[in-house]
Amino acid sequence: EATIVYSISLAFLLFLLKWLELRFIIFHKSFEIYIGAIAVIFTALGIWLALKLFRRDAFGTKPKVKTIVVEKAVYITNENFFLNTSLVSELELSKRELEILSLLAEGYSNQEIASKLFVSLSTVKTHNQNLFEKLEVKRRTQAVEKAKRLHLIP
Amino acid sequence: EATIVYSISLAFLLFLLKWLELRFIIFHKSFEIYIGAIAVIFTALGIWLALKLFRRDAFGTKPKVKTIVVEKAVYITNENFFLNTSLVSELELSKRELEILSLLAEGYSNQEIASKLFVSLSTVKTHNQNLFEKLEVKRRTQAVEKAKRLHLIP
DNA sequence: CAAGCCCTCATACTTTGGTAGCAAAATAAG
DNA sequence: CTTATTTTGCTACCAAAGTATGAGGGCTTG
């Protein structure tokens, strides 16, 4: 589109030049002025063309690289729970202990846990003992509270 | 700066033209070609100047819009806890019961709760009974789990 | 004021939980 | 294979939690 306009403009200008040539042929001394006029006109044409072709706003202000920073809220809930593994190793909690910890948090009794894990009540009690000692608590309810707080369980 | 370059370029080109004029004076027939060459040269100069002046990248492509999405972690903690009041009234939980429920969640024993609230152990036990019945649970640990799940406590 | 609810407390009893100490398998690590 | 850790299990005792039932005082409301 712009190219067509340019072509037409060019043709028109060449025609204008031809006319000027005929008209100012007598002013042989002003040949340089003539050339200068052409230079100026075509420079302007070039500038206009550049602006047109590259579809810039006529003002040519600052670079148009807009940086839009969008803050996306990521809600951290139980859904995206990640085990605090470093703390687990620090407290030297075993797999089984963590397993039992989860079941404690879900409100199961020792007997229920024993049944679920196919072990005896004694075993669960032993695990509890070790668990409470490692977590430095006295009761299962405290263990659950602390474990949740330390992200050991969801 | 660019203006200076332009001026110098213009001067140089005019000089070149003068030289060309002298050299191609014999080719009188190619006067139009000469003019055309000037037109093309100055058009190019104009384009270059426009790009230079308005500090565009030479490619002049589309405006670049950089969208940076920053993921911001929003931790859902006690801070944005709102009591599920409708559920409280639905379950007919009293103030005192909710109070005790919170203390249960924090891992306190019945005796500790009694001391904190300046009531007897019996009273706490009674509250617990009513609480468990209303929440339809059997143990304090289940009560805490359910209460947290139902947003009755943080 | 009587009815209803909440908070309080008590007794007696049952169940569950927690402590202490010990020890045998199973598994992992060297 | 040996050593260390984990998992499992036991007995016995004590502490805490939970159940059932009753009851008195305070407060609100029809």
Side-chain angles (χ1 to χ4, degrees):
Chain A
E1 192 253 303
T3 314
I4 296 169
V5 174
Y6 175 60
S7 303
I8 293 171
S9 301
L10 194 62
F12 173 74
L13 278 164
L14 285 176
F15 191 81
L16 185 69
L17 289 175
K18 197 71 189 172
W19 179 76
L20 282 170
E21 179 188 354
L22 291 171
R23 201 182 183 290
F24 287 99
I25 198 78
I26 43 174
F27 297 24
H28 235 290
K29 303 280 165 80
S30 63
F31 181 70
E32 276 129 331
I33 295 172
Y34 174 52
I35 295 294
I38 291 170
V40 170
I41 288 168
F42 276 89
T43 300
L45 183 68
I47 291 171
W48 171 81
L49 193 68
L51 292 176
K52 200 78 189 174
L53 276 178
F54 299 132
R55 305 169 141 271
R56 298 307 183 182
D57 57 293
F59 307 108
T61 46
K62 296 162 209 162
K64 253 228 167 125
V65 179
K66 267 189 180 172
T67 304
I68 301 173
V69 177
V70 179
E71 274 203 352
K72 186 186 175 188
V74 178
Y75 291 93
I76 312 260
T77 57
N78 300 357
E79 309 307 311
N80 24 25
F81 164 76
F82 281 103
L83 185 70
N84 190 342
T85 32
S86 64
L87 194 57
V88 170
S89 56
E90 197 180 310
L91 296 174
E92 294 177 309
L93 295 177
S94 70
K95 277 186 200 172
R96 203 56 155 175
E97 284 165 350
L98 272 181
E99 200 176 357
I100 285 184
L101 198 50
S102 294
L103 294 172
L104 287 177
E106 291 176 48
Y108 291 109
S109 70
N110 288 341
Q111 185 54 65
E112 285 168 344
I113 293 172
S115 301
K116 268 187 179 284
L117 301 182
F118 301 104
V119 297
S120 78
L121 177 61
S122 308
T123 306
V124 177
K125 283 190 173 190
T126 308
H127 282 307
N128 284 351
Q129 274 185 73
N130 298 329
L131 216 34
F132 298 162
E133 196 176 343
K134 288 176 182 178
L135 288 174
E136 296 176 301
V137 297
K138 301 208 168 206
R139 282 177 286 281
R140 51 174 56 219
T141 49
Q142 288 182 344
V144 169
E145 191 276 331
K146 190 160 187 176
K148 289 215 173 200
R149 189 152 42 77
L150 300 181
H151 293 277
L152 297 173
I153 49 176
Chain B
E1 190 249 307
T3 314
I4 298 168
V5 175
Y6 175 61
S7 303
I8 294 169
S9 303
L10 196 60
F12 172 74
L13 278 163
L14 284 175
F15 191 81
L16 184 70
L17 287 174
K18 197 71 189 174
W19 179 77
L20 282 169
E21 181 186 353
L22 291 172
R23 203 182 180 286
F24 286 99
I25 199 75
I26 43 175
F27 297 16
H28 234 290
K29 301 280 162 77
S30 62
F31 182 69
E32 277 131 331
I33 296 173
Y34 176 53
I35 294 296
I38 291 171
V40 169
I41 289 168
F42 275 90
T43 300
L45 182 69
I47 290 171
W48 170 82
L49 193 69
L51 292 176
K52 199 79 188 171
L53 276 178
F54 299 126
R55 306 169 139 269
R56 300 306 181 182
D57 58 291
F59 308 107
T61 47
K62 297 163 208 159
K64 280 187 180 168
V65 177
K66 255 191 185 174
T67 303
I68 300 174
V69 177
V70 179
E71 289 197 342
K72 190 182 181 187
V74 178
Y75 287 93
I76 299 188
T77 58
N78 305 357
E79 310 307 312
N80 25 23
F81 165 75
F82 282 104
L83 185 69
N84 190 339
T85 30
S86 63
L87 193 57
V88 170
S89 55
E90 195 180 312
L91 295 174
E92 295 178 306
L93 295 176
S94 69
K95 276 186 199 173
R96 204 56 155 176
E97 284 165 349
L98 272 181
E99 200 176 359
I100 285 185
L101 197 50
S102 293
L103 294 172
L104 287 177
E106 290 177 49
Y108 291 110
S109 71
N110 288 339
Q111 185 54 65
E112 285 169 343
I113 293 173
S115 301
K116 269 187 178 285
L117 301 181
F118 301 105
V119 296
S120 78
L121 177 61
S122 307
T123 305
V124 177
K125 284 190 173 189
T126 307
H127 282 308
N128 284 352
Q129 275 186 72
N130 299 329
L131 216 35
F132 298 162
E133 197 176 342
K134 289 177 182 177
L135 289 175
E136 295 176 301
V137 296
K138 299 204 170 212
R139 282 178 285 282
R140 53 174 56 219
T141 49
Q142 288 182 344
V144 168
E145 192 276 332
K146 189 159 188 176
K148 289 215 175 199
R149 191 153 39 77
L150 301 181
H151 292 277
L152 296 173
I153 50 176

